[in-house]
Amino acid sequence: MDREHLPEIPLPPIARRPINQHLAFCQNAGLVYERYVKYRRPERDWSLEATRSQKPKHDAIQATINAQNLFSSSKEFWNSFQNRWQRITANTQPFEASPDWRFVTGLGADGPLEVGFVFHRIYGFPIIPGSGLKGLARMTARVDLADRVKVDELENLRWLDDPDNRKIEEMLTEYTSNLPDEEIRALVYKCRLIFGTTDRAGEAVFFDAIPTSPPKLEIDVMTPHHSKYYQGSEPPADWQEPIPVPFLAVSKDTRFLFAVGWRGKGNEVAHRQAKAWLQKGLQELGAGAKTSAGYGYFNI
């Protein structure tokens, strides 16, 4: 393929040249995936057959993996970053976990490749956002409480967020009238302390999870069979052609460091409970995208 038909970065030529020179040595996978994605000019052949042969998304993901592999050779930087992370989380409850299989997060985020991914905003390696881990731990806590008080729908536990303690006591009396309620009451107040209410932030701090060593990225593929149905243009039908969609995933060989901190007056019991709910969520509910397909379950 001659130079005129190569994909290009959507920037003016004066900015494109130095970036093209830099790309061969770029170690920031997030930058390659989100900013340095090459495109083909609209006047080129955009037919289905040409698109298949060129595999633009596949090539962009492979370029991301190549950048990550270059980054993996920077042992000095990696050790320095891990030392900083360990100092930041010195007073937390840290632990390690690895995916049972592949892991992917941020799949539904907007991006030039139509399939997102979450990278560290500065260094470009994959992370698991602390906000998502807090949501996972909170969901695990609610599932645990729903099971104890025999509630079928988690929506029926929305009173847990009520700032009025009198309301909480009323609901506890209702739900535990025929049950030994002291343990349940203790869990309810731990849940409110850890995750907060509608008028108060929770005391637990869930840090972004980072790989313990340079992670390995892989290309995976999903194949929607009824793409026009998902786009809202046609009902599902057998004559619609499956279109493979490549996406980026973290290999199961990658271990992650997790940490749960505490912002207020120390409460060792509640702190341990926050960590336990996060660990249970990682093992039983899964983190990230495509958990229904087996992705994102962790071994502690």
Side-chain angles (χ1 to χ4, degrees), residues 236-292:
D238 292 338
W239 60 78
Q240 293 175 8
E241 185 176 8
I243 300 177
V245 178
F247 65 95
L248 194 61
V250 179
S251 165
K252 70 174 183 178
D253 299 324
T254 302
R255 295 184 64 82
F256 282 87
L257 279 166
F258 298 81
V260 181
W262 200 261
R263 76 172 84 244
K265 184 179 178 181
N267 188 320
E268 188 67 23
V269 175
H271 197 171
R272 286 198 306 268
Q273 183 65 68
K275 176 183 175 181
W277 272 328
L278 175 57
Q279 290 181 328
K280 185 176 181 180
L282 289 168
Q283 292 174 298
E284 298 183 6
L285 299 183
K290 295 179 72 66
T291 53
S292 60

Tab-separated table of all heavy atoms in Angstrom, residues 236-292:
chain	number	residue	atom	x	y	z
A	236	PRO	N	-35.228	-7.724	14.925
A	236	PRO	CA	-34.227	-8.783	14.734
A	236	PRO	C	-34.690	-9.783	13.685
A	236	PRO	O	-35.848	-10.188	13.663
A	236	PRO	CB	-34.121	-9.431	16.119
A	236	PRO	CG	-35.384	-9.074	16.806
A	236	PRO	CD	-35.804	-7.746	16.277
A	237	ALA	N	-33.780	-10.187	12.816
A	237	ALA	CA	-34.128	-11.106	11.739
A	237	ALA	C	-32.897	-11.891	11.319
A	237	ALA	O	-31.755	-11.441	11.493
A	237	ALA	CB	-34.700	-10.339	10.548
A	238	ASP	N	-33.120	-13.077	10.737
A	238	ASP	CA	-32.022	-13.964	10.361
A	238	ASP	C	-31.210	-13.441	9.193
A	238	ASP	O	-30.077	-13.868	8.983
A	238	ASP	CB	-32.567	-15.352	10.007
A	238	ASP	CG	-33.130	-16.069	11.220
A	238	ASP	OD1	-32.733	-15.697	12.342
A	238	ASP	OD2	-33.954	-16.991	11.052
A	239	TRP	N	-31.773	-12.523	8.376
A	239	TRP	CA	-31.041	-12.058	7.204
A	239	TRP	C	-30.064	-10.932	7.523
A	239	TRP	O	-29.305	-10.508	6.670
A	239	TRP	CB	-32.025	-11.585	6.122
A	239	TRP	CG	-32.928	-10.457	6.552
A	239	TRP	CD1	-32.618	-9.140	6.650
A	239	TRP	CD2	-34.279	-10.569	6.950
A	239	TRP	NE1	-33.681	-8.406	7.093
A	239	TRP	CE2	-34.747	-9.275	7.279
A	239	TRP	CE3	-35.189	-11.635	7.060
A	239	TRP	CZ2	-36.037	-9.013	7.708
A	239	TRP	CZ3	-36.471	-11.368	7.480
A	239	TRP	CH2	-36.893	-10.087	7.810
A	240	GLN	N	-30.083	-10.435	8.750
A	240	GLN	CA	-29.117	-9.400	9.119
A	240	GLN	C	-27.737	-10.032	9.319
A	240	GLN	O	-27.601	-11.050	9.985
A	240	GLN	CB	-29.569	-8.682	10.386
A	240	GLN	CG	-30.832	-7.858	10.178
A	240	GLN	CD	-31.336	-7.242	11.458
A	240	GLN	OE1	-30.680	-7.297	12.482
A	240	GLN	NE2	-32.527	-6.649	11.398
A	241	GLU	N	-26.729	-9.407	8.760
A	241	GLU	CA	-25.388	-9.989	8.754
A	241	GLU	C	-24.639	-9.681	10.056
A	241	GLU	O	-24.544	-8.525	10.455
A	241	GLU	CB	-24.601	-9.441	7.571
A	241	GLU	CG	-23.250	-10.073	7.403
A	241	GLU	CD	-22.539	-9.578	6.165
A	241	GLU	OE1	-23.047	-8.625	5.541
A	241	GLU	OE2	-21.485	-10.117	5.825
A	242	PRO	N	-24.107	-10.726	10.728
A	242	PRO	CA	-23.287	-10.462	11.927
A	242	PRO	C	-22.038	-9.659	11.550
A	242	PRO	O	-21.397	-9.942	10.544
A	242	PRO	CB	-22.909	-11.868	12.409
A	242	PRO	CG	-23.883	-12.782	11.755
A	242	PRO	CD	-24.241	-12.158	10.449
A	243	ILE	N	-21.716	-8.673	12.364
A	243	ILE	CA	-20.542	-7.835	12.104
A	243	ILE	C	-19.606	-7.925	13.312
A	243	ILE	O	-19.928	-7.404	14.391
A	243	ILE	CB	-20.944	-6.370	11.868
A	243	ILE	CG1	-21.892	-6.275	10.657
A	243	ILE	CG2	-19.697	-5.517	11.624
A	243	ILE	CD1	-22.387	-4.882	10.397
A	244	PRO	N	-18.450	-8.578	13.195
A	244	PRO	CA	-17.510	-8.675	14.318
A	244	PRO	C	-17.004	-7.300	14.745
A	244	PRO	O	-16.695	-6.453	13.913
A	244	PRO	CB	-16.371	-9.529	13.750
A	244	PRO	CG	-16.957	-10.240	12.577
A	244	PRO	CD	-17.984	-9.306	12.013
A	245	VAL	N	-16.957	-7.082	16.054
A	245	VAL	CA	-16.468	-5.811	16.610
A	245	VAL	C	-15.279	-6.127	17.523
A	245	VAL	O	-15.456	-6.714	18.594
A	245	VAL	CB	-17.565	-5.092	17.410
A	245	VAL	CG1	-17.013	-3.795	18.004
A	245	VAL	CG2	-18.781	-4.813	16.536
A	246	PRO	N	-14.060	-5.771	17.130
A	246	PRO	CA	-12.914	-6.024	18.006
A	246	PRO	C	-12.906	-5.035	19.177
A	246	PRO	O	-13.349	-3.895	19.055
A	246	PRO	CB	-11.716	-5.789	17.082
A	246	PRO	CG	-12.215	-4.834	16.056
A	246	PRO	CD	-13.675	-5.138	15.856
A	247	PHE	N	-12.420	-5.478	20.313
A	247	PHE	CA	-12.271	-4.592	21.466
A	247	PHE	C	-11.061	-5.019	22.281
A	247	PHE	O	-10.513	-6.109	22.100
A	247	PHE	CB	-13.549	-4.562	22.316
A	247	PHE	CG	-13.913	-5.868	22.974
A	247	PHE	CD1	-13.533	-6.151	24.281
A	247	PHE	CD2	-14.657	-6.822	22.290
A	247	PHE	CE1	-13.880	-7.338	24.900
A	247	PHE	CE2	-15.020	-8.019	22.896
A	247	PHE	CZ	-14.625	-8.275	24.198
A	248	LEU	N	-10.660	-4.151	23.177
A	248	LEU	CA	-9.453	-4.344	23.977
A	248	LEU	C	-9.811	-4.972	25.313
A	248	LEU	O	-10.806	-4.608	25.940
A	248	LEU	CB	-8.780	-2.991	24.196
A	248	LEU	CG	-7.350	-2.964	24.720
A	248	LEU	CD1	-6.410	-3.668	23.751
A	248	LEU	CD2	-6.910	-1.510	24.900
A	249	ALA	N	-8.996	-5.923	25.773
A	249	ALA	CA	-9.236	-6.580	27.060
A	249	ALA	C	-7.909	-6.787	27.781
A	249	ALA	O	-6.843	-6.848	27.157
A	249	ALA	CB	-9.930	-7.921	26.854
A	250	VAL	N	-7.987	-6.892	29.104
A	250	VAL	CA	-6.818	-7.174	29.926
A	250	VAL	C	-6.712	-8.682	30.115
A	250	VAL	O	-7.695	-9.359	30.409
A	250	VAL	CB	-6.928	-6.485	31.301
A	250	VAL	CG1	-5.712	-6.809	32.169
A	250	VAL	CG2	-7.054	-4.983	31.130
A	251	SER	N	-5.522	-9.206	29.935
A	251	SER	CA	-5.291	-10.642	30.067
A	251	SER	C	-5.543	-11.128	31.492
A	251	SER	O	-5.388	-10.383	32.457
A	251	SER	CB	-3.850	-10.965	29.671
A	251	SER	OG	-3.471	-12.251	30.093
A	252	LYS	N	-5.917	-12.395	31.606
A	252	LYS	CA	-6.147	-12.981	32.935
A	252	LYS	C	-4.862	-13.104	33.748
A	252	LYS	O	-4.907	-13.343	34.956
A	252	LYS	CB	-6.806	-14.349	32.792
A	252	LYS	CG	-5.893	-15.428	32.222
A	252	LYS	CD	-6.567	-16.782	32.236
A	252	LYS	CE	-5.633	-17.870	31.743
A	252	LYS	NZ	-6.270	-19.200	31.789
A	253	ASP	N	-3.718	-12.957	33.107
A	253	ASP	CA	-2.442	-13.073	33.821
A	253	ASP	C	-2.065	-11.799	34.574
A	253	ASP	O	-1.020	-11.740	35.212
A	253	ASP	CB	-1.328	-13.410	32.822
A	253	ASP	CG	-1.568	-14.729	32.110
A	253	ASP	OD1	-2.092	-15.650	32.764
A	253	ASP	OD2	-1.264	-14.836	30.906
A	254	THR	N	-2.905	-10.768	34.483
A	254	THR	CA	-2.604	-9.479	35.125
A	254	THR	C	-3.198	-9.426	36.529
A	254	THR	O	-4.391	-9.606	36.704
A	254	THR	CB	-3.173	-8.318	34.289
A	254	THR	OG1	-2.622	-8.372	32.964
A	254	THR	CG2	-2.833	-6.983	34.919
A	255	ARG	N	-2.347	-9.182	37.517
A	255	ARG	CA	-2.824	-9.020	38.888
A	255	ARG	C	-3.011	-7.533	39.194
A	255	ARG	O	-2.264	-6.695	38.694
A	255	ARG	CB	-1.836	-9.624	39.894
A	255	ARG	CG	-1.696	-11.127	39.779
A	255	ARG	CD	-0.786	-11.682	40.861
A	255	ARG	NE	-1.340	-11.472	42.191
A	255	ARG	CZ	-2.255	-12.259	42.760
A	255	ARG	NH1	-2.724	-13.281	42.100
A	255	ARG	NH2	-2.689	-12.017	43.973
A	256	PHE	N	-4.019	-7.229	40.027
A	256	PHE	CA	-4.314	-5.839	40.382
A	256	PHE	C	-4.159	-5.624	41.881
A	256	PHE	O	-4.405	-6.535	42.685
A	256	PHE	CB	-5.744	-5.484	39.976
A	256	PHE	CG	-5.922	-5.196	38.510
A	256	PHE	CD1	-6.169	-6.219	37.614
A	256	PHE	CD2	-5.832	-3.904	38.036
A	256	PHE	CE1	-6.337	-5.967	36.265
A	256	PHE	CE2	-5.996	-3.631	36.685
A	256	PHE	CZ	-6.250	-4.667	35.799
A	257	LEU	N	-3.759	-4.400	42.237
A	257	LEU	CA	-3.706	-3.953	43.628
A	257	LEU	C	-4.938	-3.110	43.928
A	257	LEU	O	-5.245	-2.170	43.207
A	257	LEU	CB	-2.452	-3.106	43.862
A	257	LEU	CG	-1.131	-3.825	44.095
A	257	LEU	CD1	0.015	-2.832	43.968
A	257	LEU	CD2	-1.098	-4.476	45.470
A	258	PHE	N	-5.650	-3.472	44.998
A	258	PHE	CA	-6.830	-2.733	45.442
A	258	PHE	C	-6.538	-2.142	46.817
A	258	PHE	O	-5.750	-2.699	47.586
A	258	PHE	CB	-8.047	-3.671	45.542
A	258	PHE	CG	-8.447	-4.301	44.243
A	258	PHE	CD1	-7.780	-5.422	43.757
A	258	PHE	CD2	-9.504	-3.795	43.501
A	258	PHE	CE1	-8.146	-6.012	42.557
A	258	PHE	CE2	-9.886	-4.378	42.302
A	258	PHE	CZ	-9.207	-5.493	41.834
A	259	ALA	N	-7.195	-1.028	47.133
A	259	ALA	CA	-7.031	-0.421	48.451
A	259	ALA	C	-8.315	0.278	48.867
A	259	ALA	O	-8.942	0.962	48.063
A	259	ALA	CB	-5.873	0.572	48.452
A	260	VAL	N	-8.692	0.077	50.125
A	260	VAL	CA	-9.857	0.750	50.707
A	260	VAL	C	-9.360	1.593	51.871
A	260	VAL	O	-8.818	1.058	52.845
A	260	VAL	CB	-10.912	-0.271	51.191
A	260	VAL	CG1	-12.117	0.463	51.776
A	260	VAL	CG2	-11.344	-1.186	50.050
A	261	GLY	N	-9.545	2.901	51.769
A	261	GLY	CA	-9.120	3.803	52.830
A	261	GLY	C	-10.296	4.294	53.656
A	261	GLY	O	-11.432	3.855	53.498
A	262	TRP	N	-9.992	5.231	54.564
A	262	TRP	CA	-11.020	5.758	55.472
A	262	TRP	C	-10.761	7.233	55.702
A	262	TRP	O	-9.645	7.635	55.994
A	262	TRP	CB	-10.979	5.000	56.804
A	262	TRP	CG	-12.248	5.125	57.602
A	262	TRP	CD1	-12.480	5.969	58.645
A	262	TRP	CD2	-13.448	4.392	57.396
A	262	TRP	NE1	-13.763	5.803	59.122
A	262	TRP	CE2	-14.390	4.831	58.368
A	262	TRP	CE3	-13.848	3.408	56.498
A	262	TRP	CZ2	-15.678	4.329	58.454
A	262	TRP	CZ3	-15.128	2.893	56.579
A	262	TRP	CH2	-16.029	3.353	57.551
A	263	ARG	N	-11.814	8.055	55.547
A	263	ARG	CA	-11.608	9.501	55.588
A	263	ARG	C	-11.906	10.128	56.949
A	263	ARG	O	-11.404	11.181	57.264
A	263	ARG	CB	-12.454	10.176	54.501
A	263	ARG	CG	-13.904	10.282	54.811
A	263	ARG	CD	-14.656	11.143	53.784
A	263	ARG	NE	-15.044	10.408	52.599
A	263	ARG	CZ	-14.595	10.658	51.390
A	263	ARG	NH1	-13.717	11.627	51.203
A	263	ARG	NH2	-14.996	9.945	50.366
A	264	GLY	N	-12.754	9.542	57.739
A	264	GLY	CA	-13.151	10.154	58.997
A	264	GLY	C	-12.427	9.549	60.185
A	264	GLY	O	-11.327	9.010	60.073
A	265	LYS	N	-13.059	9.655	61.356
A	265	LYS	CA	-12.505	9.043	62.558
A	265	LYS	C	-12.428	7.540	62.364
A	265	LYS	O	-13.349	6.915	61.861
A	265	LYS	CB	-13.398	9.378	63.767
A	265	LYS	CG	-12.856	8.873	65.079
A	265	LYS	CD	-13.777	9.265	66.235
A	265	LYS	CE	-13.242	8.716	67.546
A	265	LYS	NZ	-14.136	9.064	68.678
A	266	GLY	N	-11.319	6.961	62.745
A	266	GLY	CA	-11.088	5.547	62.483
A	266	GLY	C	-12.186	4.646	63.029
A	266	GLY	O	-12.642	4.808	64.154
A	267	ASN	N	-12.627	3.706	62.204
A	267	ASN	CA	-13.605	2.697	62.603
A	267	ASN	C	-13.157	1.380	61.988
A	267	ASN	O	-13.506	1.046	60.863
A	267	ASN	CB	-15.007	3.081	62.122
A	267	ASN	CG	-16.087	2.159	62.673
A	267	ASN	OD1	-15.896	0.942	62.757
A	267	ASN	ND2	-17.225	2.721	63.046
A	268	GLU	N	-12.363	0.639	62.742
A	268	GLU	CA	-11.714	-0.560	62.209
A	268	GLU	C	-12.723	-1.600	61.746
A	268	GLU	O	-12.537	-2.240	60.706
A	268	GLU	CB	-10.788	-1.159	63.275
A	268	GLU	CG	-9.923	-2.296	62.778
A	268	GLU	CD	-8.883	-1.844	61.763
A	268	GLU	OE1	-8.538	-0.658	61.748
A	268	GLU	OE2	-8.431	-2.707	60.982
A	269	VAL	N	-13.809	-1.749	62.488
A	269	VAL	CA	-14.805	-2.773	62.139
A	269	VAL	C	-15.476	-2.436	60.805
A	269	VAL	O	-15.599	-3.280	59.914
A	269	VAL	CB	-15.860	-2.904	63.254
A	269	VAL	CG1	-16.963	-3.870	62.828
A	269	VAL	CG2	-15.195	-3.393	64.544
A	270	ALA	N	-15.913	-1.181	60.665
A	270	ALA	CA	-16.553	-0.771	59.421
A	270	ALA	C	-15.565	-0.770	58.256
A	270	ALA	O	-15.920	-1.113	57.126
A	270	ALA	CB	-17.163	0.616	59.580
A	271	HIS	N	-14.332	-0.427	58.529
A	271	HIS	CA	-13.296	-0.418	57.507
A	271	HIS	C	-13.092	-1.832	56.954
A	271	HIS	O	-13.030	-2.043	55.734
A	271	HIS	CB	-11.999	0.136	58.108
A	271	HIS	CG	-11.000	0.553	57.088
A	271	HIS	ND1	-9.846	1.236	57.409
A	271	HIS	CD2	-10.948	0.372	55.745
A	271	HIS	CE1	-9.150	1.477	56.320
A	271	HIS	NE2	-9.796	0.948	55.293
A	272	ARG	N	-12.988	-2.801	57.851
A	272	ARG	CA	-12.845	-4.200	57.409
A	272	ARG	C	-14.065	-4.665	56.643
A	272	ARG	O	-13.961	-5.445	55.682
A	272	ARG	CB	-12.596	-5.107	58.612
A	272	ARG	CG	-11.206	-4.995	59.210
A	272	ARG	CD	-10.882	-6.198	60.075
A	272	ARG	NE	-11.881	-6.426	61.104
A	272	ARG	CZ	-11.811	-5.922	62.330
A	272	ARG	NH1	-10.778	-5.158	62.673
A	272	ARG	NH2	-12.748	-6.172	63.229
A	273	GLN	N	-15.256	-4.194	57.050
A	273	GLN	CA	-16.482	-4.586	56.355
A	273	GLN	C	-16.497	-4.041	54.925
A	273	GLN	O	-16.919	-4.723	53.989
A	273	GLN	CB	-17.701	-4.082	57.111
A	273	GLN	CG	-19.031	-4.489	56.503
A	273	GLN	CD	-19.250	-5.980	56.535
A	273	GLN	OE1	-19.413	-6.566	57.612
A	273	GLN	NE2	-19.266	-6.613	55.375
A	274	ALA	N	-16.027	-2.804	54.737
A	274	ALA	CA	-15.959	-2.225	53.395
A	274	ALA	C	-15.052	-3.062	52.497
A	274	ALA	O	-15.388	-3.345	51.336
A	274	ALA	CB	-15.453	-0.783	53.478
A	275	LYS	N	-13.913	-3.460	53.033
A	275	LYS	CA	-12.990	-4.301	52.272
A	275	LYS	C	-13.627	-5.653	51.957
A	275	LYS	O	-13.507	-6.168	50.830
A	275	LYS	CB	-11.701	-4.492	53.074
A	275	LYS	CG	-10.701	-5.432	52.428
A	275	LYS	CD	-9.481	-5.615	53.326
A	275	LYS	CE	-8.522	-6.648	52.745
A	275	LYS	NZ	-7.344	-6.857	53.632
A	276	ALA	N	-14.315	-6.238	52.934
A	276	ALA	CA	-14.943	-7.550	52.729
A	276	ALA	C	-16.023	-7.492	51.658
A	276	ALA	O	-16.146	-8.390	50.819
A	276	ALA	CB	-15.531	-8.060	54.046
A	277	TRP	N	-16.819	-6.408	51.651
A	277	TRP	CA	-17.861	-6.276	50.623
A	277	TRP	C	-17.240	-6.109	49.244
A	277	TRP	O	-17.758	-6.659	48.268
A	277	TRP	CB	-18.777	-5.101	50.956
A	277	TRP	CG	-19.928	-5.488	51.837
A	277	TRP	CD1	-20.576	-6.692	51.872
A	277	TRP	CD2	-20.579	-4.661	52.815
A	277	TRP	NE1	-21.584	-6.673	52.806
A	277	TRP	CE2	-21.613	-5.444	53.394
A	277	TRP	CE3	-20.399	-3.359	53.254
A	277	TRP	CZ2	-22.470	-4.958	54.382
A	277	TRP	CZ3	-21.236	-2.861	54.240
A	277	TRP	CH2	-22.264	-3.651	54.796
A	278	LEU	N	-16.141	-5.378	49.145
A	278	LEU	CA	-15.483	-5.218	47.852
A	278	LEU	C	-14.930	-6.561	47.364
A	278	LEU	O	-15.109	-6.931	46.197
A	278	LEU	CB	-14.354	-4.190	47.949
A	278	LEU	CG	-13.512	-4.010	46.675
A	278	LEU	CD1	-14.389	-3.625	45.489
A	278	LEU	CD2	-12.408	-2.987	46.899
A	279	GLN	N	-14.286	-7.300	48.243
A	279	GLN	CA	-13.738	-8.595	47.850
A	279	GLN	C	-14.843	-9.562	47.419
A	279	GLN	O	-14.707	-10.271	46.412
A	279	GLN	CB	-12.936	-9.197	49.005
A	279	GLN	CG	-11.641	-8.460	49.293
A	279	GLN	CD	-10.859	-9.086	50.427
A	279	GLN	OE1	-11.443	-9.644	51.366
A	279	GLN	NE2	-9.542	-8.983	50.376
A	280	LYS	N	-15.925	-9.570	48.144
A	280	LYS	CA	-17.044	-10.449	47.795
A	280	LYS	C	-17.632	-10.053	46.444
A	280	LYS	O	-17.969	-10.916	45.620
A	280	LYS	CB	-18.112	-10.387	48.884
A	280	LYS	CG	-19.272	-11.360	48.671
A	280	LYS	CD	-20.239	-11.311	49.834
A	280	LYS	CE	-21.395	-12.300	49.626
A	280	LYS	NZ	-22.347	-12.277	50.752
A	281	GLY	N	-17.746	-8.742	46.202
A	281	GLY	CA	-18.266	-8.265	44.920
A	281	GLY	C	-17.375	-8.672	43.764
A	281	GLY	O	-17.868	-9.081	42.699
A	282	LEU	N	-16.071	-8.552	43.927
A	282	LEU	CA	-15.137	-8.943	42.871
A	282	LEU	C	-15.251	-10.429	42.552
A	282	LEU	O	-15.133	-10.843	41.396
A	282	LEU	CB	-13.702	-8.615	43.294
A	282	LEU	CG	-13.326	-7.132	43.339
A	282	LEU	CD1	-11.992	-6.932	44.047
A	282	LEU	CD2	-13.270	-6.547	41.936
A	283	GLN	N	-15.490	-11.231	43.568
A	283	GLN	CA	-15.568	-12.675	43.369
A	283	GLN	C	-16.928	-13.136	42.842
A	283	GLN	O	-16.998	-14.045	42.006
A	283	GLN	CB	-15.271	-13.392	44.694
A	283	GLN	CG	-13.831	-13.253	45.157
A	283	GLN	CD	-13.622	-13.852	46.533
A	283	GLN	OE1	-14.210	-13.408	47.518
A	283	GLN	NE2	-12.801	-14.878	46.611
A	284	GLU	N	-18.009	-12.518	43.318
A	284	GLU	CA	-19.344	-13.054	43.039
A	284	GLU	C	-20.154	-12.247	42.018
A	284	GLU	O	-20.984	-12.823	41.316
A	284	GLU	CB	-20.132	-13.164	44.346
A	284	GLU	CG	-19.491	-14.105	45.345
A	284	GLU	CD	-20.317	-14.273	46.609
A	284	GLU	OE1	-21.461	-13.743	46.662
A	284	GLU	OE2	-19.822	-14.921	47.553
A	285	LEU	N	-19.945	-10.933	41.953
A	285	LEU	CA	-20.703	-10.095	41.012
A	285	LEU	C	-19.880	-9.712	39.795
A	285	LEU	O	-20.424	-9.489	38.716
A	285	LEU	CB	-21.214	-8.832	41.710
A	285	LEU	CG	-22.166	-9.044	42.893
A	285	LEU	CD1	-22.633	-7.689	43.426
A	285	LEU	CD2	-23.361	-9.900	42.501
A	286	GLY	N	-18.577	-9.614	39.971
A	286	GLY	CA	-17.707	-9.239	38.865
A	286	GLY	C	-17.615	-7.739	38.682
A	286	GLY	O	-18.535	-7.001	39.015
A	287	ALA	N	-16.494	-7.275	38.147
A	287	ALA	CA	-16.259	-5.850	37.911
A	287	ALA	C	-16.122	-5.599	36.419
A	287	ALA	O	-15.725	-6.466	35.652
A	287	ALA	CB	-14.986	-5.401	38.634
A	288	GLY	N	-16.460	-4.377	36.012
A	288	GLY	CA	-16.307	-4.014	34.623
A	288	GLY	C	-17.449	-4.492	33.743
A	288	GLY	O	-18.549	-4.778	34.225
A	289	ALA	N	-17.174	-4.588	32.449
A	289	ALA	CA	-18.195	-4.922	31.451
A	289	ALA	C	-18.233	-6.429	31.173
A	289	ALA	O	-17.308	-7.158	31.515
A	289	ALA	CB	-17.910	-4.161	30.158
A	290	LYS	N	-19.337	-6.865	30.572
A	290	LYS	CA	-19.524	-8.236	30.071
A	290	LYS	C	-19.392	-9.294	31.166
A	290	LYS	O	-18.921	-10.394	30.924
A	290	LYS	CB	-18.544	-8.520	28.933
A	290	LYS	CG	-18.777	-7.666	27.704
A	290	LYS	CD	-17.793	-7.946	26.593
A	290	LYS	CE	-18.050	-9.285	25.937
A	290	LYS	NZ	-19.333	-9.323	25.215
A	291	THR	N	-19.803	-8.959	32.380
A	291	THR	CA	-19.753	-9.959	33.454
A	291	THR	C	-20.701	-11.127	33.176
A	291	THR	O	-20.444	-12.255	33.614
A	291	THR	CB	-20.108	-9.321	34.808
A	291	THR	OG1	-21.363	-8.635	34.699
A	291	THR	CG2	-19.036	-8.331	35.236
A	292	SER	N	-21.790	-10.880	32.444
A	292	SER	CA	-22.713	-11.968	32.115
A	292	SER	C	-22.078	-12.979	31.173
A	292	SER	O	-22.561	-14.107	31.043
A	292	SER	CB	-23.998	-11.409	31.488
A	292	SER	OG	-23.704	-10.706	30.294
